[in-house]
Amino acid sequence: MGLLALGTALDWPDVKKRAPQVREWGIKQLLEIWNKAKGKERDALLWGDEVEYLVVTYSEDDKRVLLSLRQAEILEALAEDKELKKKGGCVPDLQHVEQVAADKSNPIPVFHPEFGRFMLEATPGKPWGIGLKELLEVEPDMKLRRKIAKAHMLPTEYPITLTTFPRIGAPGQFTDPYYPASGPRLRSQFVPDEIANPHIRFPTLAANIRSRRGRKVEVNVPVFHDKDTPNPWKDPTVNYDLHNWPEDDDVRNGAAPDNFIHMDAMAFGMGSCCLQITFQAKNIVEGRQLYDQLSPLGPIMLALTAATPIYKGFLANTDVRWNQISRAVDCRTPEELGEKPLTDGARRIPKSRYASNSTYISTDSRLRKEYLDPDLVFDADIKQQLLNGGMDDRLATHFAHLFIRDPIVVFEEDLQELDLNKTDHFENIQSTNWQHMRFKPPPADNSIGWRVEFRPMEIQITDFENAAFTVFMVLVTRAILSFDLNFYVPIKRVDENMERAHAVDAVLKEKFYFRRNPFPSRPSRANTVMGDESHPGSAYPSRPATPSGPVEDEYDEMTVNDIINGTDNGDFPGLIPIVESYLDSINVDVSTRCQLATYLDLIGKRARGDLDTTARWIRNFVDTHPRYKHDSVVDDEVNHDLIGAVIAIGERESAGQNFAGLNIHGLSRLLNGFRGGCGGDGKASNGTYGHTNGNT
Ligand code: ADP
Ligand code: MG
Ligand code: MG
Ligand code: MG
Ligand code: MG
Ligand code: MG
């Protein structure tokens, strides 16, 4: 989560007093970057992924799987491993990945702390470049990361890529070591304060969100009603008789409604793992274009990567993590939520600071006013300051929208003097606006370019899948730029899609608003001036005059299959066919094309329902487990076997072995047909699944 400043973290009442100063300084720093970097040109098309892991303590005999709280020790072991820095050969058992590490100039992967003390994050040692061949290095690099991580853990510890630990917060022990719940920072009934990274930033984040809200966060997920689930269902783990903290009244005041799994702490959300990708644009104009064009893809990719069907030991009636994280960090006051009349200059705020995007920011003339959020909340004074500083209306509106938030963690030491050679105050607000897209300005030293981060995807169990979704998004991005694609739909429709993406099996059962014709129509190339004239150095192609006609005619409701593979009637071409024509338009050698095809195949099949999402696979695993009583309860033993299966899949994968013979329910529905051979036509042939090392 970025660089961690040290110092005296202020409690909420003091943060509240200093918030205007943080915002003011943050805006000054932003204008400084803006003025320095707005004309930056020809930055390289770099990009990088982030993979997050849960660290579990697992053994075959002990039926209880635990979350290992040794993040700090593991990171320390990684940092102290001098051999590691020499890369290749140093970490035991590198086998097929060591060649990759040895023959590319990429340094060894980088490991980062995360909110959960049971989490790790790993990124490539340096960002990936424009080369298509680099796309083939992603999967080996992800495997290398997992191997390195594992090599610095205890024999019973494993890095796994499940979005959430199925029994986090369940009664009994679920952390290693054990700590009792209900500490002063989180005040959770279910999880101990020790579940969070002990660095002062993290417990302060949780405590100050709770304080600002005036009560604990309420993370209520609808329970999945199976045939023997009581109806109405009352969360049996909620304790109505606790009296440790004032917040223990929350459940007595109705925080835990019937038919919902009730959770009450940031760890239930920010303890989730995801897959993120950051793209550097050649200049700010291209960055703004990518931000807008990738935004409508967010909910689609969320639904397609669905992997989160269990919380606190119960099957949920949703498939993805998104809204749970949103609620887990929702710092809004009752006034802002509309539950109490407004006082004291407060304003209604329709969304949590973790939410789908509310702005489009591009200078693209195809961006119609009708696409923008009519209810957008922004700070008019801040917007004016940005306009006065030379920023254009659209981007000023975006940042003035992010800056409606208070900072949550503020260090006394940072408030002594404004340093315009830093971006700390800007980043304080920016990096605690967790939207599904993030527009990242260059750092103060201007050494890198304008970047866009794609944040909605759920992490997948194998590195093959994670590489597939990563590579797919990179190719989609290239196609967007190469074909000047237009995915605009009204931002409110993106919001609705985000909700729809939560439904169980949304990938097959839901429809999503999506633009019918993504190709640019260019009746005239004569226009030379863009919608927003304030952008210096724009090497951007000209665009036709602003389109007209009813906005509603531009989009339709489509299934994920329609969007990914194309509609039957050919109205919408499909993202995979678009990517294919992009690949056709450039020179790709047969073997690269074949490897890319194995990724596109996985995605196409998931969209079509030929293969299961991770969430569906997990549901079926639980459903067919002999111990499961069809009452929505995922007990320690079912959890043990699920995690055991995930570990077994991971071990086979990282050893470069076939999955054949692994007796895991539904595995062929998750991964079947991948990593067979490549035909001479550059198409993947679907042989036995799971072979990761023998492509010819
Ligand atoms: P954050 O947590 O703020 O998103 P991280 O540093 O964890 O940031 O991850 C950022 C990702 O961006 C990494 O994969 C990294 O390799 C990649 N990256 C670093 N520099 C660049 C760059 N100039 N352009 C694009 N991606 C970059
Ligand atoms: Mg992270
Ligand atoms: Mg990161
Ligand atoms: Mg981060
Ligand atoms: Mg990130
Ligand atoms: Mg519906």
Side-chain angles (χ1 to χ4, degrees), residues 366 368-372 488-491 493 514-516 547-556:
R366 299 174 301 183
R368 302 176 64 173
K369 285 198 177 57
E370 295 93 322
Y371 305 153
L372 299 174
Y488 276 125
V489 292
I491 204 117
R493 295 302 196 192
F514 209 75
R515 192 177 182 91
R516 285 189 174 126
S548 56
V551 164
E552 293 68 35
D553 291 353
E554 295 175 352
Y555 59 86
D556 214 340

Side-chain angles (χ1 to χ4, degrees), residues 23 26-27 379 382 399-405 425-426 429:
R23 269 193 294 267
I27 288 299
D379 187 303
I382 286 177
F399 286 115
H401 161 66
L402 300 186
F403 271 68
I404 62 172
R405 308 292 170 175
H425 300 293
F426 166 69
I429 306 283

